[in-house]
Amino acid sequence: EYLKSEECAKSLDEKDPLNCFRDEFLYPPKNPKDPSSGQSIYLCGNSLGLQPKALKKRIQEELDDWANLGVEAHFDGRHPWVSTDEPLLENMSNIVGAQKEEVA
């Protein structure tokens, strides 16, 4: 019975080593038409997940670089687009059976 209790759930949440990341996400309200309805419990595994709070700022930075630099944002933006695939190259090469240099 204890394992099904709210007390157990709260205890497990407090001990969760990833608990410190909870405040970095936006939680939709229980009732989207009533923002004061309290925070929803978000368990949907078939979605993008909860929106990181930092995402809006990061997307705005990319849009600003695009607006102000145009194609040059590929090389001169705050987060140059030309190298966005680099962190994925090694894993992708393993998946497709190629050398890292052969994957783009």
Side-chain angles (χ1 to χ4, degrees), residues 53-102:
K53 290 178 179 177
L55 182 64
K56 188 181 251 185
K57 178 179 181 269
R58 181 67 187 264
I59 289 175
Q60 191 59 55
E61 288 174 356
E62 298 303 323
L63 292 173
D64 290 346
D65 283 351
W66 184 14
N68 295 319
L69 301 170
V71 71
E72 295 303 321
H74 277 86
F75 309 99
D76 299 328
R78 283 170 270 202
H79 312 281
W81 307 334
V82 71
S83 58
T84 56
D85 63 337
E86 287 178 5
L88 307 172
L89 295 179
E90 188 168 342
N91 288 333
M92 289 303 297
S93 66
N94 292 334
I95 290 171
V96 300
Q99 297 298 314
K100 184 177 167 182
E101 303 77 37
E102 298 173 319

Side-chain angles (χ1 to χ4, degrees), residues 1-102:
E1 226 21 64
Y2 173 73
L3 291 177
K4 296 179 184 177
S5 71
E6 184 175 345
E7 179 186 357
C8 177
K10 287 182 178 182
S11 174
L12 291 171
D13 281 348
E14 288 173 9
K15 295 173 186 171
D16 185 343
L18 300 177
N19 190 349
C20 60
F21 295 104
R22 179 174 172 67
D23 291 335
E24 294 185 25
F25 296 90
L26 298 168
Y27 291 81
K30 288 179 184 175
N31 178 354
K33 294 180 182 176
D34 179 11
S36 66
S37 63
Q39 218 176 55
S40 65
I41 297 173
Y42 201 81
L43 299 174
C44 184
N46 188 21
S47 76
L48 291 172
L50 293 169
Q51 184 183 116
K53 290 178 179 177
L55 182 64
K56 188 181 251 185
K57 178 179 181 269
R58 181 67 187 264
I59 289 175
Q60 191 59 55
E61 288 174 356
E62 298 303 323
L63 292 173
D64 290 346
D65 283 351
W66 184 14
N68 295 319
L69 301 170
V71 71
E72 295 303 321
H74 277 86
F75 309 99
D76 299 328
R78 283 170 270 202
H79 312 281
W81 307 334
V82 71
S83 58
T84 56
D85 63 337
E86 287 178 5
L88 307 172
L89 295 179
E90 188 168 342
N91 288 333
M92 289 303 297
S93 66
N94 292 334
I95 290 171
V96 300
Q99 297 298 314
K100 184 177 167 182
E101 303 77 37
E102 298 173 319

